[in-house]
Amino acid sequence: MFKRIVICSGPTVEPIDPVRFLSNRSSGKSGLQLANEALKRGIPEIILITGPTCLNMENPGFTVIPVETALEMREQLRQYSDAADVIVMAAAVSDYRVAQYSKEKIKKSQETLIIQLVKNPDILFELGQRKKSGQILVGYAAETDNILENVREKFKRKNLDLLVLNEVSAQNPAFHVDKNQVYFVTAGGFQKLEMMEKSCLAARVWDEIEKLVHKLH
Ligand code: CTP
């Protein structure tokens, strides 16, 4: 059904100085499970663009492209996204990077330290802007409050076909766990899924993508 798919996964890491960085708690598990499931379904070209994780991504069935920063992830997507039938943006992209990288290690000479941050580009939004006809774009979101309104707006603004929404709470921490409870958001509305293993969820995400493709053609 698909020739080439691109999955972005893991955190991005934004350097502050040679020994420090800004990042987040993403483990990269969801992206890897999506790639494994795509392989089971016989998708010939699976490109996994991933920020640094502790997972072993080695698999002869994937092309793994390691990146560190949001700007590097965006650069790799520029190369691979146009010819992709499906792009899944499961990466936890750092919203900000430091304005001025320090080539020398910052010394603890001051009582307080202010590091100025600048916004990273919204990669998913950019992908939505240049989406090809027939291409499927999948985004992820993690929300803690006002979730349904926030997500409806995000789905439209980013020109998505499917948004996988994590409602982050004490019962559903979402990061560094093997199970997840999510909602699927499509143009047709919301669907609440039960709590399940990330590997099962990856299969449900591909089922939903295949359904969307049938509707498109
Ligand atoms: N994303 C992206 N580029 C960014 C930030 C996020 O491509 N600079 C993508 C993520 O990979 C994810 C989606 O956008 O698929 C949603 O990210 P999220 O952080 O939940 O929402 P934001 O749109 O960044 O909005 P906010 O943080 O304000 O809720």
Side-chain angles (χ1 to χ4, degrees):
M1 180 183 257
F2 306 121
K3 287 194 203 78
R4 173 192 273 186
I5 60 144
V6 176
I7 299 166
C8 282
S9 179
T12 65
V13 165
E14 310 293 334
I16 298 171
D17 69 13
V19 296
R20 302 183 179 96
F21 59 82
L22 195 70
S23 192
N24 58 64
R25 291 183 186 275
S26 169
S27 66
K29 281 181 186 166
S30 297
L32 183 59
Q33 296 290 8
L34 284 165
N36 284 333
E37 183 61 32
L39 198 61
K40 277 192 207 156
R41 292 177 189 225
I43 297 174
E45 197 178 358
I46 301 165
I47 297 164
L48 185 58
I49 302 174
T50 175
T53 73
C54 298
L55 304 173
N56 177 13
M57 304 271 185
E58 288 301 307
N59 189 316
F62 317 148
T63 303
V64 179
I65 301 175
V67 294
E68 295 245 321
T69 65
L71 294 181
E72 286 169 14
M73 187 170 273
R74 180 205 212 189
E75 202 46 49
Q76 292 299 333
L77 271 163
R78 286 226 165 108
Q79 198 175 325
Y80 292 103
S81 61
D82 282 355
D85 302 310
V86 182
I87 305 168
V88 185
M89 205 54 207
V93 181
S94 297
D95 288 327
Y96 294 89
R97 66 180 182 278
V98 297
Q100 193 76 53
Y101 171 74
S102 168
K103 284 193 196 134
E104 282 100 44
K105 187 181 165 200
I106 301 169
K107 292 285 177 197
K108 56 175 180 307
S109 47
Q110 300 152 292
E111 279 310 308
T112 58
L113 175 67
I114 294 173
I115 297 176
Q116 195 175 18
L117 303 179
V118 291
K119 219 176 198 175
N120 269 327
D122 189 327
I123 303 171
L124 185 58
F125 175 80
E126 291 179 352
L127 290 168
Q129 296 273 294
R130 54 169 208 274
K131 190 161 81 172
K132 299 268 173 304
S133 138
Q135 194 174 56
I136 300 282
L137 187 57
V138 182
Y140 276 64
E143 303 282 351
T144 52
D145 52 273
N146 218 2
I147 60 162
L148 297 186
E149 279 93 284
N150 283 343
V151 102
R152 209 172 273 137
E153 184 277 328
K154 210 171 270 186
F155 178 83
K156 281 214 178 101
R157 178 166 45 88
K158 300 199 183 194
N159 194 19
L160 302 180
D161 300 286
L162 171 63
L163 196 148
V164 181
L165 165 66
N166 269 292
E167 184 182 8
V168 182
S169 64
Q171 292 76 37
N172 188 44
F175 295 106
H176 279 281
V177 288
D178 291 322
K179 284 187 175 181
N180 244 180
Q181 190 270 307
V182 303
Y183 295 79
F184 283 165
V185 185
T186 61
F190 291 91
Q191 186 194 342
K192 186 175 181 174
L193 278 73
E194 62 278 16
M195 178 75 88
M196 65 180 84
E197 296 282 337
K198 284 185 176 172
S199 55
C200 298
L201 178 58
R204 296 286 288 272
V205 170
W206 281 112
D207 287 345
E208 193 65 30
I209 293 170
E210 286 175 8
K211 255 196 250 164
L212 288 168
V213 172
H214 281 304
K215 268 191 206 152
L216 266 179
H217 298 293

